[in-house]
Amino acid sequence: MKTKTLLTILGISFILIAKAQVTILNTFVSYPLVNNTYALSSDAAGNLYTIDPLYLNILKISPSGSVTTFATGYSGIDLTVDLSGNVYVLQSYTGSASATIYKFNSSGVLIPFVTLYNYSPTSIVIDAAGTIYYASDNAINKITSSGVISAFVGNPVSPGYMDGVGSAAKFNYISGMVIDGVGDLYVVDNGNNCIRRVTSTGTVTTLAGDPIAGNIDGLGTAARFSNPQDIAIDGLGNMYVTELSNMKIRKVTPIGNVTTMQVYYQNILTTQVQNAYGIVCDQSGNIIVDIANSSNSKIIKSSTANSVVQTKVANSITSTSANVTGLINAVGNTTSTGFEYGLTTAYGASISATPSVANGTLNVNINAALNGLSAGTVYHYRCIGSNTLGIEYGADMTFTTSSIATGVSKLIDNNSIIIYPNPASAYLNISGLDKKQHTVVLISMFGEVIRTIETDNKEFISINIENLSSGVYFIKVNDKCTKFIKE
């Protein structure tokens, strides 16, 4: 029930999800936590901040996913970041210690700020002018940059559900807040299953939801939430709400229209995202969500795409060929499939996959056979999905073809088998064998095993080679080997 907040005064440019696009959620970073934190915030440089209550650390996560300790010896239930990179950590009343807001400069150095003597704070956010808003026991208070505290809206000793101005308004446990570019607050009223708007002058209205819990998309109070947790906002004023009981991420427009986000998560297209708590939108338009469970927390980060494209591991690799594989989810768009491949990440060659077209919203495994490759060579490849909205590329992967020399030099030294005719075009005959079990192996000049034959008590063997391409081959019987030519 703890939260993150987000500086929405940064002018975030968020990519709107078109009808035929999908939001892909991938693990950004994992970190082990026994006592989970649900706090998540971001700064102007795209760094994330979260709280590790087990080891009493404030963690900083770079845009590339590198995790470092920003400050040690402190914990809390929420945090926010100002435009100068100062981090404010909200710590609740813990019996002997008063509720406190700790301030750290951008280098992680503690700066004395303010002690809160009232009740149990739950959420914190800061505006462009440096004014802090923190929620505490069904009310929201303001703190100036110099540390002066004043009541803003709500009644800390009287929970309820009522729109109004100042203390006439009522909330029932505030679990998350965010602020927009004009200074209006958007509040997750958890106990009332609502999203409330609070203007800079202290007027409280219900933007979406109703105290009656449910799972309904709709406009304003026709929509229903169940146990909403946290809220983020993009540069266009759209909000994103994590919802614990319904296991969803809901999108709320500035006029209060609520829809359920469909995401590609854990390799399926779904509306279900379990254990989602803290949420932010970064400057690049990504939705970043804190996923918490009993043994491990992870942060997932979104991207948008016209189709889901994943490059997978190549198989059946020989000195001259390989089978490359991938996965496509067309997300309802008719999508052509294929691969690019080559000696570098510039690729240079492409091939259609099987199947060549993907449709619908289910995952489709694709593959393509690459032939005419050079032996002992590293090849790059990636999966491609193309439709009328554009082209999506999977990650670059590599495979290495087998070496020509593998085992061939040893085979040439033992040419002691009687074979005829040589050259041969249809059948190759082997004679002079002992009457015992033999293992006959047909091998290409590149050292690839083409065929293996087990025989019993035969002095003569005839092998059909009509389907072989013209070239040089080896025939090996037990530990003896000789070379022949296929015409």
Side-chain angles (χ1 to χ4, degrees):
M1 311 266 297
K2 305 175 182 74
T3 63
K4 75 95 238 38
T5 54
L6 167 69
L7 282 178
T8 56
I9 36 141
L10 300 176
I12 298 166
S13 178
F14 184 80
I15 302 172
L16 281 177
I17 302 165
K19 180 179 180 182
Q21 287 188 312
V22 63
T23 298
I24 303 173
L25 298 179
N26 290 314
T27 297
F28 180 51
V29 65
S30 294
Y31 48 96
L33 294 175
V34 175
N35 299 311
N36 291 296
T37 177
Y38 313 128
L40 195 62
S41 189
S42 66
D43 65 15
N47 299 297
L48 296 174
Y49 297 83
T50 190
I51 299 169
D52 179 352
L54 178 62
Y55 298 105
L56 300 179
N57 290 325
I58 310 301
L59 303 178
K60 181 178 180 179
I61 305 169
S62 72
S64 64
S66 176
V67 181
T68 56
T69 300
F70 176 72
T72 188
Y74 297 90
S75 186
I77 58 171
D78 199 11
L79 73 171
T80 191
V81 188
D82 67 18
L83 288 174
S84 299
N86 298 305
V87 179
Y88 300 81
V89 179
L90 182 64
Q91 185 179 66
S92 64
Y93 174 78
T94 57
S96 59
S98 300
T100 303
I101 296 177
Y102 296 111
K103 179 180 179 181
F104 300 89
N105 68 15
S106 58
S107 299
V109 177
L110 179 65
I111 301 171
F113 190 57
V114 66
T115 298
L116 310 175
Y117 295 102
N118 60 322
Y119 309 106
S120 300
T122 56
S123 185
I124 186 172
V125 69
I126 191 167
D127 68 13
T131 300
I132 289 175
Y133 298 84
Y134 75 92
S136 177
D137 294 283
N138 310 304
I140 300 173
N141 302 293
K142 294 171 65 172
I143 307 176
T144 66
S145 56
S146 59
V148 177
I149 303 173
S150 61
F152 184 44
V153 293
N155 189 324
V157 296
S158 180
Y161 174 65
M162 185 176 294
D163 290 341
V165 179
S167 59
K170 290 188 177 183
F171 301 89
N172 187 9
Y173 189 82
I174 296 170
S175 62
M177 297 190 300
V178 74
I179 192 167
D180 68 12
V182 299
D184 289 343
L185 286 172
Y186 293 89
V187 175
V188 178
D189 190 349
N190 176 273
N192 286 321
N193 299 300
C194 292
I195 306 303
R196 316 286 292 277
R197 177 189 281 129
V198 184
T199 67
S200 57
T201 57
T203 299
V204 178
T205 55
T206 299
L207 177 66
D210 184 90
I212 299 174
N215 183 11
I216 302 173
D217 290 344
L219 181 63
T221 56
R224 295 288 185 272
F225 298 89
S226 183
N227 199 8
Q229 293 297 306
D230 200 15
I231 189 168
I233 193 168
D234 67 27
L236 299 176
N238 298 301
M239 285 151 282
Y240 302 86
V241 178
T242 53
E243 192 178 11
L244 195 59
S245 293
N246 287 328
M247 297 181 292
K248 291 182 175 182
I249 299 173
R250 311 288 287 278
K251 180 180 177 181
V252 185
T253 68
I255 63 171
N257 189 43
V258 179
T259 54
T260 299
M261 292 188 65
Q262 187 177 55
V263 297
Y264 189 83
Y265 179 52
Q266 297 180 328
N267 292 320
I268 61 171
L269 196 63
T270 182
T271 60
Q272 301 289 293
V273 182
Q274 294 184 339
N275 301 315
Y277 287 86
I279 186 169
V280 298
C281 295
D282 71 9
Q283 301 92 321
S284 300
N286 302 305
I287 299 172
I288 303 172
V289 184
D290 191 16
I291 303 294
N293 57 48
S294 59
S295 60
N296 186 69
S297 285
K298 64 181 178 181
I299 294 173
I300 56 178
K301 187 173 183 178
S302 77
S303 59
T304 56
N306 306 319
S307 57
V308 177
V309 178
Q310 296 178 3
T311 310
K312 303 181 81 172
V313 177
N315 55 45
S316 302
I317 301 168
T318 71
S319 61
T320 59
S321 64
N323 183 59
V324 290
T325 67
L327 179 148
I328 295 279
N329 190 309
V331 199
N333 303 307
T334 299
T335 300
S336 298
T337 69
F339 293 88
E340 289 182 326
Y341 66 99
L343 301 180
T344 69
T345 52
Y347 305 105
S350 61
I351 188 171
S352 181
T354 302
S356 60
V357 176
N359 293 288
T361 58
L362 297 178
N363 294 338
V364 177
N365 290 311
I366 65 171
N367 71 283
L370 308 184
N371 295 298
L373 307 178
S374 299
T377 304
V378 176
Y379 281 88
H380 292 260
Y381 68 102
R382 64 180 178 180
C383 183
I384 306 172
S386 175
N387 54 46
T388 56
L389 298 176
I391 302 175
E392 300 291 344
Y393 299 95
D396 175 76
M397 295 186 72
T398 62
F399 64 85
T400 303
T401 52
S402 304
S403 172
I404 293 177
T406 302
V408 173
S409 60
K410 294 182 180 179
L411 297 175
I412 298 173
D413 295 337
N414 285 326
N415 49 351
S416 55
I417 304 172
I418 300 172
I419 60 172
Y420 62 90
N422 189 10
S425 59
Y427 286 87
L428 180 71
N429 302 308
I430 306 171
S431 64
L433 302 175
D434 298 331
K435 282 190 174 183
K436 63 179 183 180
Q437 182 174 350
H438 297 288
T439 300
V440 180
V441 183
L442 185 63
I443 304 169
S444 76
M445 66 175 294
F446 304 113
E448 305 158 20
V449 174
I450 298 172
R451 193 184 314 164
T452 300
I453 305 168
E454 299 289 344
T455 68
D456 289 323
N457 302 319
K458 289 185 178 181
E459 296 178 330
F460 175 86
I461 301 171
S462 184
I463 302 174
N464 188 330
I465 59 171
E466 289 178 312
N467 292 329
L468 294 182
S469 300
S470 299
V472 178
Y473 294 86
F474 295 88
I475 194 77
K476 182 180 179 183
V477 180
N478 300 331
D479 60 346
K480 298 179 180 181
C481 183
T482 195
K483 181 171 60 176
F484 72 94
I485 298 173
K486 167 64 168 65
E487 292 181 321

